[in-house]
Amino acid sequence: MASNDGHGAEIVVIGGGIAGVSAGYALGRHTSGPTITVIEAEGQLAHHTTGRSAALFIENYGTGPTRALTKASRLYFHHPPPELVDGPLLETRGVLSVARPDQERYFQQALAEGRAVNPDIAEITIEDAVDLFPPLRADRLSRALYEPGASDIDVGRLHQSFVRGIVAMGGTISTSTRARSLSRTGGRWTITTSAGDLRADLVVDAAGAWGDDVAQRAGIEPLGLTPLRRTAFMVARPESLPARAPLTAEIEHEDWYVKPDGAQILCSPADETPSEPCDARPEEIDIARAIDLINEATTLGITSIRSSWAGLRTFSPDRTMVIGPEPGEPAFIWCVGQGGTGIQTAPAAGQLVADLTLDGEPSAVFDAAATGLELDVDAITPGRFRRVGPSAR
Ligand SMILES: Cc1cc2nc3c(=O)[nH]c(=O)nc-3n(C[C@H](O)[C@H](O)[C@H](O)COP(=O)(O)OP(=O)(O)OC[C@H]3O[C@@H](n4cnc5c(N)ncnc54)[C@H](O)[C@@H]3O)c2cc1C
């Protein structure tokens, strides 16, 4: 893969969620000394999906490349630059996945995939599962899988660490600055924004649900990104449920999940409803469905909720994120399709943006010897959606 000459380059990153700031931070650290400007359409950073997540770090989750990025992110989560953080980024919680007899196939798959990423991920007895999460109705369950190292992420602190890093390197972060059109003449981009024109050598598209919209404004063919709405809401936590009990979910992670959160419990129907890019709002029907499912599977007896929200998890057609220069237009860099794992993969995803943009290949932090998992670069770069002929998707 050819690399760009990024020496002293001016780079504009579009989007101030976790994808944009992690990419801006990693790009700014490169020895070629690029100048970074992150622009965010909203008046505050992380207003959209980044501010609406369940804040979990789970190794047994997502596609193969996602798992490799999660592994490669561990280093930053455990040893972030001390000058950029004021406390830990992770707090161990554990994730418990339970299965009914009719979900045996999914259990076997999750167990095999889990063992491949981390030998600590193992089957436990139903009795042990109920010890960990007392409200479970044991009589309907046949299997349970536990990932003890799964952790809560301090999303605000993680996001802020990248923001601090960008500012410390002399970069700029501009809110209330929406990219309206992008044109390229004489080897430079002109980005027309709601706050005036910007010039750049390279543009990074980290616009989340608006990733394809931004690409089209730059004359780049869209990837076919699909924003899928996911609902979350809070209910009161009974004293019988420990505050640090594991996140507990149906084995497919697609039926419901619950996570104690202080005096409350975060609940979700794990819904995936296609949506236009927008300021997502929860639907009553999704909340009602989640309450039914959770009350059937547990003794929580939910009757009312305290608050609710929704966010858009945006997926590429193969559900793996898309990172790297657009084939044929290497000054346009994709960093989109983070789906349901954009927080836990952010340190490595940002680094990969910088590596592929400025060096043309992944750096040593992605070596399987260091992470424990091979990263298939071809499965993450945009070229996989641009091939023509018999091998096309
Ligand atoms: C309920 C829920 C639970 C989740 N749980 C987890 C979890 O436990 N762990 C995990 O890792 N992930 C989780 N996720 C997924 C995670 O939140 C996302 O993958 C991640 O936040 C995506 O970040 P992003 O920066 O790509 O998108 P966003 O945070 O949406 O940022 C994109 C930004 O681009 C801006 N933008 C768009 N167009 C323009 C423009 N033209 N000009 C300037 N700016 C523009 C937008 O305003 C937006 O702020 C969850 C998501 C949801 C909804």
Side-chain angles (χ1 to χ4, degrees):
M1 188 185 303
S3 71
N4 299 310
D5 176 9
H7 195 79
E10 289 179 80
I11 303 178
V12 168
V13 180
I14 301 173
I18 199 74
V21 297
S22 60
Y25 170 67
L27 284 160
R29 289 175 69 218
H30 195 268
T31 49
S32 62
T35 306
I36 307 299
T37 302
V38 177
I39 61 170
E40 166 54 50
E42 302 290 348
Q44 64 181 68
L45 302 174
H47 171 75
H48 287 288
T49 313
T50 297
R52 307 178 189 201
S53 86
L56 255 291
F57 181 99
I58 308 175
E59 290 194 22
N60 192 16
Y61 195 51
T63 65
T66 304
R67 288 162 186 249
L69 289 179
T70 301
K71 281 279 199 188
S73 293
R74 290 183 62 96
L75 184 64
Y76 190 92
F77 277 114
H78 289 287
H79 305 286
E83 67 279 12
L84 302 183
V85 294
D86 50 13
L89 294 176
L90 295 182
E91 187 177 0
T92 306
R93 169 173 296 279
V95 163
L96 176 63
S97 304
V98 293
R100 303 180 307 263
D102 59 299
Q103 293 170 315
E104 179 67 22
R105 182 163 65 92
Y106 302 112
F107 178 84
Q108 291 298 345
Q109 187 184 340
L111 179 61
E113 289 175 348
R115 280 190 180 136
V117 291
N118 189 331
D120 290 346
I121 298 170
E123 180 170 13
I124 60 171
T125 64
I126 300 301
E127 291 71 30
D128 285 345
V130 174
D131 275 351
L132 287 166
F133 197 89
L136 278 175
R137 291 188 198 274
D139 54 346
R140 56 194 293 287
L141 300 177
S142 57
R143 300 287 197 116
L145 185 65
Y146 188 48
E147 179 176 336
S151 301
D152 289 337
I153 302 171
D154 189 324
V155 180
R157 190 174 278 159
L158 175 69
H159 187 275
Q160 188 60 26
S161 74
F162 298 131
V163 170
R164 281 186 182 164
I166 292 168
V167 172
M169 291 180 297
T172 305
I173 300 183
S174 301
T175 52
S176 304
T177 306
R178 180 181 298 278
R180 291 202 167 127
S181 67
L182 299 90
S183 59
R184 194 142 185 275
T185 47
R188 299 258 294 163
W189 289 104
T190 300
I191 303 123
T192 302
T193 81
S194 51
D197 284 1
L198 293 168
R199 295 300 202 99
D201 301 294
L202 302 168
V203 162
V204 178
D205 178 357
W210 291 266
D212 271 345
D213 172 72
V214 164
Q216 284 175 294
R217 289 170 191 271
I220 304 283
E221 187 189 340
L223 292 169
L225 299 174
T226 308
L228 300 177
R229 189 181 67 238
R230 177 152 293 187
T231 309
F233 58 94
M234 290 290 196
V235 303
R237 177 176 62 82
E239 281 188 8
S240 56
L241 176 62
R244 295 301 305 165
L247 177 139
T248 298
E250 289 271 354
I251 196 78
E252 290 177 86
H253 284 261
E254 297 306 338
D255 284 325
W256 55 269
Y257 64 78
V258 291
K259 177 179 100 155
D261 185 343
Q264 306 188 91
I265 310 173
L266 185 157
C267 307
S268 175
D271 44 338
E272 294 198 335
T273 309
S275 166
E276 291 298 310
C278 67
D279 195 353
R281 303 279 176 210
E283 299 275 345
E284 293 283 328
I285 190 165
D286 292 321
I287 296 173
R289 188 171 68 82
I291 291 174
D292 282 351
L293 289 168
I294 294 165
N295 283 346
E296 195 183 321
T298 72
T299 56
L300 286 170
I302 298 168
T303 53
S304 63
I305 68 167
R306 291 188 168 177
S307 60
S308 62
W309 68 92
L312 299 179
R313 298 155 80 244
T314 297
F315 289 89
S316 77
D318 63 11
R319 290 180 76 97
T320 288
M321 64 185 79
V322 186
I323 291 177
E326 164 69 16
E329 182 46 283
F332 185 91
I333 322 297
W334 294 96
C335 180
V336 296
Q338 277 72 4
T341 53
I343 313 291
Q344 67 179 45
T345 55
Q351 185 61 49
L352 191 61
V353 170
D355 291 350
L356 297 182
T357 302
L358 300 172
D359 296 325
E361 59 186 7
S363 55
V365 299
F366 295 101
D367 286 352
T371 66
L373 273 187
E374 195 78 45
L375 174 68
D376 179 356
V377 181
D378 290 341
I380 207 162
T381 48
R384 71 192 194 273
F385 297 122
R386 302 307 195 203
R387 289 177 201 116
V388 290
S391 64
R393 76 197 150 90

